[in-house]
Amino acid sequence: MDVSIKKIKFTTINKTYTELVRDWRGRHCFATQYANPDGKRIFLTWYFVKKGYTISKVFLKSGEFLYYYCDVMEMRQVGRLRYVMVDLLLDLIVYPDGRYHLIDVDEFSHAIEKGQLKKRQQVHTLQTLDKMIRMQTNRTFIPRYIHEATMFSLSDSSQTKANRMNDS
């Protein structure tokens, strides 16, 4: 089954992706896999709709695991297998040894300065990030099923609908 995700990011054009669902844990948690535009990395991404974040297990094309890339998001379901997500700019990279690194704080602060983020979005972002960091500090953030997940065959992903169709 395919899922449609409209991604809104304040620093880029809005895009709509149609992707093959790789792991279905209900309409509030599912995963897709796609190649990063750099062509070097593959993202196996779980969307935690109600929790307000995504966790991507990032691999090299060879299948070697690199790290987890976690986005703070505002997400809602807008139809059957259709979602809109707003990237709230702050991201957390979690390394295999458990260390983590917060990135894009500059993008977040610029979006606040420019009035692009509403107060409720700012509060949601900071509260969600705080939960993510506390869980990672306790080593409970990345679920076991994500730790154990492996990359899907790349030839398999080329059969998805045009590999992330762009609807600008």
Side-chain angles (χ1 to χ4, degrees):
M1 87 178 106
D2 288 340
V3 64
S4 174
I5 300 168
K6 179 173 182 152
K7 183 175 182 182
I8 300 167
K9 187 171 181 179
F10 302 107
T11 56
T12 60
I13 298 172
N14 298 340
K15 296 179 181 180
T16 299
Y17 304 105
T18 300
E19 297 175 349
L20 178 65
V21 173
R22 301 300 188 148
D23 185 13
W24 182 258
R25 295 180 179 268
R27 62 192 176 112
H28 300 302
C29 182
F30 56 90
T32 66
Q33 179 178 289
Y34 54 90
N36 194 58
D38 69 11
K40 298 175 185 173
R41 297 171 293 159
I42 306 299
F43 283 63
L44 180 53
T45 301
W46 279 263
Y47 300 85
F48 293 88
V49 177
K50 294 285 188 185
K51 293 181 180 182
Y53 56 79
T54 64
I55 299 175
S56 297
K57 191 167 187 179
V58 182
F59 301 90
L60 290 175
K61 284 179 115 176
S62 64
E64 178 187 347
F65 169 60
L66 295 172
Y67 51 82
Y68 300 99
Y69 193 97
C70 312
D71 287 284
V72 179
M73 297 282 182
E74 186 176 63
M75 237 180 134
R76 68 185 184 281
Q77 187 172 7
V78 294
R80 186 177 185 281
L81 298 175
R82 291 183 47 231
Y83 297 84
V84 172
M85 67 179 183
V86 178
D87 185 335
L88 295 172
L89 305 173
L90 290 180
D91 303 316
L92 193 66
I93 296 176
V94 178
Y95 298 100
D97 65 4
R99 291 177 301 120
Y100 59 87
H101 181 78
L102 176 62
I103 61 172
D104 297 336
V105 175
D106 57 337
E107 282 185 32
F108 183 72
S109 64
H110 286 106
I112 291 171
E113 268 183 347
K114 291 179 180 180
Q116 294 173 321
L117 288 173
K118 298 173 185 166
K119 185 173 182 175
R120 71 168 174 74
Q121 290 174 311
Q122 295 171 40
V123 169
H124 168 77
T125 302
L126 295 172
Q127 288 176 339
T128 301
L129 181 65
D130 179 61
K131 287 178 196 169
M132 293 164 65
I133 290 172
R134 280 189 284 117
M135 289 170 62
Q136 181 54 32
T137 300
N138 294 326
R139 302 289 175 112
T140 60
F141 180 53
I142 311 293
R144 182 185 326 218
Y145 60 88
I146 295 178
H147 277 296
E148 295 171 354
T150 56
M151 186 176 89
F152 289 86
S153 165
L154 293 180
S155 60
D156 204 25
S157 65
S158 67
Q159 296 169 2
T160 64
K161 288 189 178 179
N163 272 7
R164 299 174 54 92
M165 295 166 29
N166 186 355
D167 237 37
S168 297

